Amino acid sequence: MNSFIRFSIPFFLSLSALVTTAHADAAPLSGKPGTSADRSSSREENEEFANFVQWREVGEFIDQIVAKHGFNRTELESVFGKTRYVERTIQLVKPAPPGQPKNWRAYRGRFVEPVRINAGVAFWDQYADALARAEAEYKVPAEIIVGIIGVETIYGRNTGNFRVMDALTTLAFAYPDTPNRTSRIAFFRGEVANTLLLARESGIDPFSLSGSYAGAIGWPQFMPGSIRQYAVDFDGDRKIDLSGSPVDAIGSVANFLVRHGWKPGEPLVFPATVTGDGANRWQDLIGKGLVADYRLDELEATGVVPGTELPEHLLYGLVDLQNGFEPTEYWIAANNFFSITQYNRSYFYAMSVIELGRAVKASRER
């Protein structure tokens, strides 16, 4: 973790001091991680006092992080006593009702469109030096960094106005009844702990952090744990500020990708078709995880046909982009495509990042 993780907020001596500090007004919009699409209602409509301190599981959680991280129990009880339940977060994490098939073209249309492309050109023009430096240091193309920040928050326009402590605590202890409830509860409880650790390490009020309904923060929508692990001070001011420094956001996105397997100079995706020549064994390659595991000859043996010549020394995976009731698109993805899916575990997301970045680059060059 970078030793200079601090925010542009005065240092306070203890959590008890932190939680009694007045909070700044939140940003007017909220951003769903990976979509930037949600707009929240007023805080009064979304939040209510829940007295989390009286919840048995919250008490057990406090015991755990006191023992593990050396927090003061009284101070933590004060924090959770001021944390509010946010019903809106519960509604937003619920899965979409069944019946409507996934539609890549509709999804793409939300992100690769004139507003984001024009905003991306302006962003690239303004921060060209930082993007060039990130590309040189991390070997991540500027267009990929631009694509991620554009998809996430429309270049800082839509970073979220939920208090992170409220959103994460609500999801950590009141996650709705879904098939993945157990794993999501574990994830969000980890992020509550990371929020408290980030606040302590940075000398800030944990309630000063605002973000999406799922607790993602700043221009690149990093979760608190990702801030602690992957965020970098890229503007050289000896603090990390993903909400106020687009340059820190640029460097942090690049560092995140490198730490998740980005390989300099390797390709992303290639168009493909599928045939019955391999007895439709290509179907066995669908949904095999976010990793490139197959040699080119192995793909071809199942009936996958590349639309162009591919490097034979790399490993690949088969990506299916469903188009509602229209034919599915198939792509052969290399390692760097799957590195992007570690940012958001979705083929749609990774492809929209790639295509938005390319569209911004092409528009800027014109």
Side-chain angles (χ1 to χ4, degrees):
M1 184 184 67
N2 190 299
S3 61
F4 297 131
I5 291 186
R6 299 201 311 274
F7 288 73
S8 303
I9 300 174
F11 179 80
F12 295 90
L13 295 179
S14 69
L15 277 174
S16 59
L18 295 176
V19 298
T20 57
T21 305
H23 312 310
D25 291 337
L29 299 178
S30 65
K32 179 180 178 182
T35 69
S36 316
D38 176 66
R39 296 175 185 271
S40 70
S41 305
S42 69
R43 182 164 290 169
E44 291 75 12
E45 293 172 351
N46 289 328
E47 301 177 3
E48 58 186 66
F49 180 66
N51 201 355
F52 278 116
V53 176
Q54 294 186 354
W55 293 28
R56 177 181 57 81
E57 290 183 324
V58 174
E60 293 171 352
F61 176 78
I62 290 174
D63 289 339
Q64 292 168 5
I65 61 175
V66 165
K68 184 174 182 178
H69 300 295
F71 284 105
N72 179 284
R73 182 180 181 87
T74 300
E75 293 176 353
L76 286 185
E77 288 177 345
S78 178
V79 171
F80 284 102
K82 294 176 175 65
T83 302
R84 304 186 72 82
Y85 175 90
V86 188
E87 174 62 25
R88 181 71 169 149
T89 69
I90 299 298
Q91 299 307 316
L92 287 169
V93 298
K94 289 181 178 179
Q100 199 66 5
K102 296 179 180 179
N103 192 316
W104 157 241
R105 290 174 190 161
Y107 184 97
R108 180 189 186 279
R110 295 169 57 194
F111 300 106
V112 188
E113 46 80 32
V115 170
R116 281 180 212 258
I117 293 171
N118 292 336
V121 171
F123 175 81
W124 197 329
D125 286 345
Q126 184 172 359
Y127 298 104
D129 290 345
L131 287 162
R133 183 159 54 90
E135 189 165 346
E137 292 185 17
Y138 293 100
K139 304 300 187 288
V140 177
E143 66 196 76
I144 297 299
I145 301 171
V146 169
I148 286 177
I149 297 175
V151 168
E152 291 292 346
T153 61
I154 320 180
Y155 308 101
R157 295 184 187 182
N158 197 2
T159 59
N161 69 344
F162 288 84
R163 289 199 314 184
V164 168
M165 248 331 266
D166 295 340
L168 290 176
T169 302
T170 299
L171 295 173
F173 297 99
Y175 200 88
D177 188 13
T178 61
N180 63 348
R181 183 175 189 269
T182 299
S183 63
R184 300 313 288 164
I185 283 175
F187 170 77
F188 284 112
R189 289 185 187 180
E191 290 302 329
V192 173
N194 276 312
T195 301
L196 295 168
L197 288 165
L198 178 63
R200 184 172 70 179
E201 293 159 357
S202 307
I204 63 171
D205 181 344
F207 293 115
S208 70
L209 296 169
S210 64
S212 76
Y213 73 83
I217 296 168
W219 287 61
Q221 293 288 274
F222 271 26
M223 297 299 287
S226 289
I227 294 176
R228 297 183 67 234
Q229 286 186 275
Y230 309 116
V232 297
D233 168 26
F234 204 56
D235 63 10
D237 66 354
R238 297 181 63 81
K239 60 179 179 288
I240 293 172
D241 184 1
L242 299 187
S243 295
S245 172
V247 175
D248 283 356
I250 287 168
S252 297
V253 168
N255 185 55
F256 181 97
L257 292 175
V258 169
R259 297 279 295 276
H260 286 83
W262 184 274
K263 303 297 183 185
E266 290 192 4
L268 290 159
V269 288
F270 303 90
T273 56
V274 295
T275 74
D277 293 347
N280 289 340
R281 286 191 294 119
W282 58 265
Q283 294 176 352
D284 296 334
L285 307 183
I286 299 296
K288 293 299 184 182
L290 306 175
V291 62
D293 261 348
Y294 301 100
R295 300 189 312 271
L296 179 58
D297 63 330
E298 291 176 320
L299 290 177
E300 292 174 332
T302 68
V304 179
V305 181
T308 186
E309 187 173 350
L310 274 64
E312 294 189 5
H313 66 286
L314 299 178
L315 295 177
Y316 301 97
L318 182 62
V319 170
D320 61 324
L321 301 181
Q322 300 171 49
N323 274 314
F325 298 106
E326 299 298 319
T328 297
E329 290 183 24
Y330 293 96
W331 295 78
I332 296 173
N335 173 79
N336 284 348
F337 177 91
F338 293 108
S339 294
I340 299 172
T341 66
Q342 300 307 307
Y343 207 104
N344 183 307
R345 301 176 69 82
S346 162
Y347 291 163
F348 282 15
Y349 175 86
M351 190 64 77
S352 67
V353 163
I354 292 167
E355 295 207 1
L356 176 60
R358 288 173 175 172
V360 172
K361 181 177 181 181
S363 180
R364 186 169 182 263
E365 288 174 348
R366 286 196 298 269

